[in-house]
């Protein structure tokens, strides 16, 4: 999964490079549109980001679009996460913080630290992501990781080498020009090499000496709750797709890059079903619209995919114990 703040920023970076209509087509190919991203918090399948970048790259004929987007990525987009990492007293601590807090920007992925006699190799393992477009995300990852080192070592710093899982011989020269260093190929995960002697580099921002944030406190600041449970992942996904009335099981499974049957089995093992998750998500959205807006109930029903407002009223009363009108009136009195 990928934090929506990252996905939204990637869309913005693509908009700066190519015509907006191409990005819109890429979003559609990934099962997204701009309305889903507006004001959203939480996560979306990592595969969607890969498909988006791959589509745009093919449309404009740029084999290394992922690397270029990674090089332009603003690490501060991550908000509280970037503040948590970059306020560390030294580079080594910052990298460890990034590893421990990775679940807030990429649940399901992890930062992997591997040490040699002279270097710390820092990589991002996306748990076997094999969807189309993953190569672009692999090529962009070293640039994003490097931004932590830039803060402590200066923007002119470069890793002693970069590791990538798969690179064609014809692409090697271009990638070395983009990274400004040697690229080692056929490696397990995208990584950068940092000298061990650089890990003690102090924070040039002279952070205040106060109690460090805990991961729980960081989650509160970011207003998200990462999870590895499929049921909660689907619930978070529906919060985004419901904006465009996309709540069917087949589409959600496709966005997660799994089959509907695999999703059904996994949810059964967790003691729930897609129907129950979908019903809860629709009820939650309905309650939000009833409390926070003056939208007519008929329009709310339509926005949630009901063709008949009476069916919406029945479903809402069955789940909440009150009609939509009673729920709205009751909440407005509090």
């Amino acid at each position: 999964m990928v934090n929506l703040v990252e996905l939204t920023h990637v869309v913005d970076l693509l908009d700066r490079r190519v015509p907006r209509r191409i990005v819109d087509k890429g979003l559609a190919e990934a099962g997204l549109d701009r309305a889903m991203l507006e004001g959203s918090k939480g996560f979306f399948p990592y595969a969607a980001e890969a498909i988006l970048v791959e589509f745009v790259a093919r449309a404009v004929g740029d084999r290394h679009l992922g690397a270029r987007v990674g090089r332009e990525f603003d690490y501060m987009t991550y908000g509280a996460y970037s503040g948590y990492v970059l306020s560390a007293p030294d580079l080594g601590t910052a990298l460890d913080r990034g590893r421990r807090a990775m679940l807030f920007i990429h649940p399901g992925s992890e930062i992997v630290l591997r040490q040699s006699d002279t270097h710390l190799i820092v990589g991002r393992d996306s748990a076997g992501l094999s969807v189309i477009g993953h190569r672009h995300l692999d090529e962009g990852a070293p640039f994003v990781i490097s931004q932590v080192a830039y803060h402590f070592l200066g923007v002119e710093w470069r890793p002693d080498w970069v590791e990538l899982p798969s690179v064609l011989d014809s692409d090697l020269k271009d990638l070395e020009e983009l990274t400004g260093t040697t690229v080692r190929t056929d490696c397990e995960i995208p990584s950068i090499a940092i000298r061990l002697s650089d890990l003690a580099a102090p924070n040039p921002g002279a952070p205040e000496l106060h109690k460090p944030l805990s991961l729980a406190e960081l989650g509160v600041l970011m207003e998200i709750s990462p999870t590895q449970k499929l049921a909660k992942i689907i619930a978070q996904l529906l919060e985004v797709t419901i904006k465009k009335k996309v709540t069917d099981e087949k589409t959600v499974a496709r966005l997660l890059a799994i089959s509907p049957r695999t999703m059904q089995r996994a949810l059964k093992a967790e003691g729930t079903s897609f129907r129950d998750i979908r019903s809860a998500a629709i009820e939650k959205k309905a309650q939000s619209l009833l409390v926070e807006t003056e939208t007519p109930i008929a329009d709310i029903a339509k926005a949630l995919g009901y063709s008949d407002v009476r069916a919406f009223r029945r479903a809402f009363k069955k789940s909440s114990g009150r009609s939509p009108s009673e729920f709205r009136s009751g909440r407005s009195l509090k």
Side-chain angles (χ1 to χ4, degrees), residues 29-319:
E29 188 73 14
L32 280 163
D33 67 17
R34 294 178 191 272
M36 291 182 182
L37 300 178
E38 292 174 359
S40 296
K41 293 183 176 67
F43 305 94
F44 208 78
Y46 196 35
E49 186 175 47
I51 292 169
L52 166 64
V53 178
E54 172 71 14
F55 180 92
V56 175
R58 290 189 178 186
V60 299
D62 187 346
R63 285 191 52 78
H64 304 298
L65 181 61
R68 298 185 213 285
V69 169
R71 189 168 62 172
E72 296 170 1
F73 192 90
D74 182 358
Y75 193 76
M76 297 307 294
T77 295
Y78 289 133
Y81 172 87
S82 56
Y84 173 70
V85 173
L86 299 182
S87 64
D90 54 63
L91 176 56
T93 304
L95 293 169
D96 185 59
R97 285 188 180 187
R99 178 188 61 80
R100 290 188 289 114
M102 186 68 170
L103 74 166
F104 290 104
I105 56 173
H106 281 280
S109 300
E110 63 176 327
I111 294 293
V112 177
L113 306 178
R114 186 177 87 250
Q115 187 171 320
S116 71
D117 291 339
T118 56
H119 289 79
L120 182 70
I121 294 86
V122 186
R124 186 175 76 186
D125 186 351
S126 297
L129 180 71
S130 59
V131 297
I132 187 170
H134 71 91
R135 177 179 62 83
H136 287 286
L137 303 190
D138 284 349
E139 291 183 4
F143 291 97
V144 179
I145 298 171
S146 292
Q147 291 197 38
V148 178
Y150 295 156
H151 178 78
F152 290 86
L153 303 174
V155 294
E156 299 302 319
W157 175 87
R158 293 293 179 271
D160 279 3
W161 69 84
V162 165
E163 297 182 358
L164 290 172
S166 178
V167 177
L168 297 175
D169 290 342
S170 57
D171 290 334
L172 190 58
K173 181 179 178 181
D174 290 338
L175 285 170
E176 289 187 336
E177 288 181 358
L178 283 166
T179 60
T181 190
T182 300
V183 174
R184 298 184 179 182
T185 64
D186 298 322
C187 302
E188 289 189 7
I189 58 175
S191 308
I192 63 171
I194 302 173
R195 295 177 188 177
L196 294 178
S197 57
D198 285 335
L199 297 180
N203 194 324
E208 296 179 9
L209 297 177
H210 55 71
K211 177 180 176 291
L213 282 174
S214 68
L215 292 184
E217 291 167 328
L218 178 58
V220 171
L221 285 177
M222 296 187 72
E223 300 181 69
I224 54 175
S225 178
T227 178
Q228 301 300 324
K229 292 285 188 180
L230 182 60
K232 290 187 177 181
I233 288 172
I234 292 173
Q236 291 177 343
L237 181 56
L238 286 170
E239 287 185 23
V240 178
T241 63
I242 204 171
K243 292 182 179 181
K244 299 298 290 185
K245 295 182 284 189
V246 179
T247 61
D248 63 284
E249 186 174 22
K250 184 177 179 180
T251 299
V252 170
R254 181 176 63 83
L255 290 171
L256 290 169
I258 59 177
S259 70
R261 181 164 296 191
T262 297
M263 185 169 74
Q264 291 164 6
R265 287 198 298 264
L267 291 175
K268 185 177 180 179
E270 293 181 8
T272 186
S273 68
F274 181 81
R275 177 179 292 181
D276 289 344
I277 299 168
R278 179 181 179 275
S279 296
I282 291 176
E283 180 183 356
K284 180 179 178 181
K285 183 64 175 178
Q287 290 181 356
S288 174
L289 291 171
L290 288 167
V291 171
E292 299 171 8
T293 76
E294 298 298 324
T295 305
I297 291 173
D299 291 344
I300 290 176
K302 185 177 180 180
L304 295 176
Y306 288 90
S307 57
D308 183 350
V309 67
R310 291 172 296 181
F312 167 65
R313 292 180 190 275
R314 287 195 298 270
F316 188 88
K317 187 167 186 176
K318 182 179 180 181
S319 61

